Amino acid sequence: RLQSGSPPAKAFPKPWWAKKRAQLLEIGAQRDATYVYDRESIEQAITALRSLEAVDAVFYAMKANSNPEILKLVHDRGLNLECVSPGEVARVLEVLPGIDRRRILFTPNFAPRTEYQQALEQGVWVTLDNLFPLKQWAKTFKGREIFVRIDTGQGRGHHEHVRTAGVHSKFGVPLFEIDELVDAVKKAGARVVGVHAHTGSGVLAPDAWLDTGKQLLKLFEQLPDVRYVDVPQIVRE
């Protein structure tokens, strides 16, 4: 109940499926079950993301939806592709065989050596999320440019199960291991050109991104080859 003097409730825009009710009912009458994706909504989201002046490049996390038409659409509209498995990389190359490999970012978690080797041979960007690969498989990364996932020490998000940083997180190199990271990179003969930090999902506070960015910028002195800062976010309608 609104009290006297309270601002009016915010009116949310009508969702795409409500605006296209008649078309959806027509499709439903022809099939027992089907998946429907709205191209107009996807294009609007892409336009909104690409309008962000502070963002140089946008990567679509294809684990959200690997439908070939959606992959072609996001690629043709200038978005890059983020993959978490060799299967996803293979899917992108199958659907978009002519894609510039540097438009693909491979961000696995605790992957075996063969997966890193395969991704490097394919020429896609590769992200490491812990020190083990650099220490144990140093020769694999010799002369390579890599991304490293950093655990900034603070998880964010609307629920504890979507917070992917902090003391209970298994993802990323914690800040107290940066000296070890620098040493391992040097011994392996690799170059860290990108730092990646995903603190959680459903983060809507702008200050959260500012804080994360500032923490990553502090690493530049120890990682002088960095030229990319990757700060993922889950975007929903």
Side-chain angles (χ1 to χ4, degrees):
R1 186 180 66 176
L2 290 176
Q3 298 179 348
S4 176
S6 298
K10 180 180 179 180
F12 289 96
K14 184 181 292 187
W16 73 267
W17 46 264
K19 293 185 287 186
K20 299 185 178 182
R21 179 176 180 273
Q23 292 173 262
L24 291 171
L25 289 174
E26 183 180 349
I27 292 171
Q30 299 171 3
R31 300 170 176 82
D32 292 330
T34 189
Y35 287 99
V36 179
Y37 310 119
D38 185 53
R39 177 179 291 269
E40 182 181 350
S41 295
I42 297 172
E43 290 179 334
Q44 288 175 351
I46 292 172
T47 298
L49 289 169
R50 296 204 65 194
S51 68
L52 298 173
E53 295 182 0
V55 176
D56 293 320
V58 178
F59 283 75
Y60 170 71
M62 64 169 292
K63 64 183 177 182
N65 194 322
S66 60
N67 180 283
E69 293 303 313
I70 291 180
L71 295 182
K72 291 176 184 177
L73 175 60
V74 298
H75 170 269
D76 292 347
R77 294 296 187 274
L79 267 60
N80 305 316
L81 286 302
E82 188 257 359
C83 307
V84 297
S85 71
E88 289 188 355
V89 175
R91 175 72 160 182
V92 171
L93 297 180
E94 174 190 0
V95 176
L96 302 163
I99 187 173
D100 178 351
R101 300 303 195 266
R102 289 313 204 189
R103 292 183 63 181
I104 302 174
L105 177 65
F106 180 50
T107 58
N109 294 125
F110 301 99
R113 185 177 187 176
T114 54
E115 292 188 7
Y116 290 117
Q117 290 174 324
Q118 183 180 357
L120 289 168
E121 289 168 2
Q122 290 170 322
V124 305
W125 289 116
V126 172
T127 303
L128 302 184
D129 69 334
N130 64 91
L131 296 178
F132 182 88
L134 280 172
K135 290 184 174 182
Q136 301 300 317
W137 310 322
K139 291 183 180 179
T140 298
F141 303 98
K142 184 177 181 179
R144 301 289 190 174
E145 293 186 336
I146 58 174
F147 278 59
V148 174
R149 179 169 180 168
I150 303 296
D151 180 350
T152 59
Q154 182 177 2
R156 304 178 188 275
H158 60 276
H159 189 276
E160 62 178 319
H161 291 161
V162 301
R163 296 167 194 159
T164 51
V167 293
H168 298 297
S169 173
K170 60 180 182 288
F171 304 114
V173 177
L175 295 174
F176 59 79
E177 290 184 353
I178 296 301
D179 288 341
E180 286 187 64
L181 170 63
V182 172
D183 183 60
V185 168
K186 183 178 180 180
K187 289 180 178 178
R191 294 174 62 224
V192 177
V193 298
V195 285
H196 164 104
H198 182 199
T199 59
S201 303
V203 183
L204 301 178
D207 288 347
W209 305 111
L210 180 61
D211 291 343
T212 300
K214 285 181 177 178
Q215 286 181 302
L216 294 179
L217 289 174
K218 290 178 182 178
L219 303 179
F220 281 27
E221 185 173 337
Q222 293 169 277
L223 301 169
D225 294 320
V226 170
R227 57 181 188 269
Y228 304 109
V229 175
D230 178 29
V231 186
Q233 166 62 316
I234 305 299
V235 179
R236 295 187 176 91
E237 284 288 315

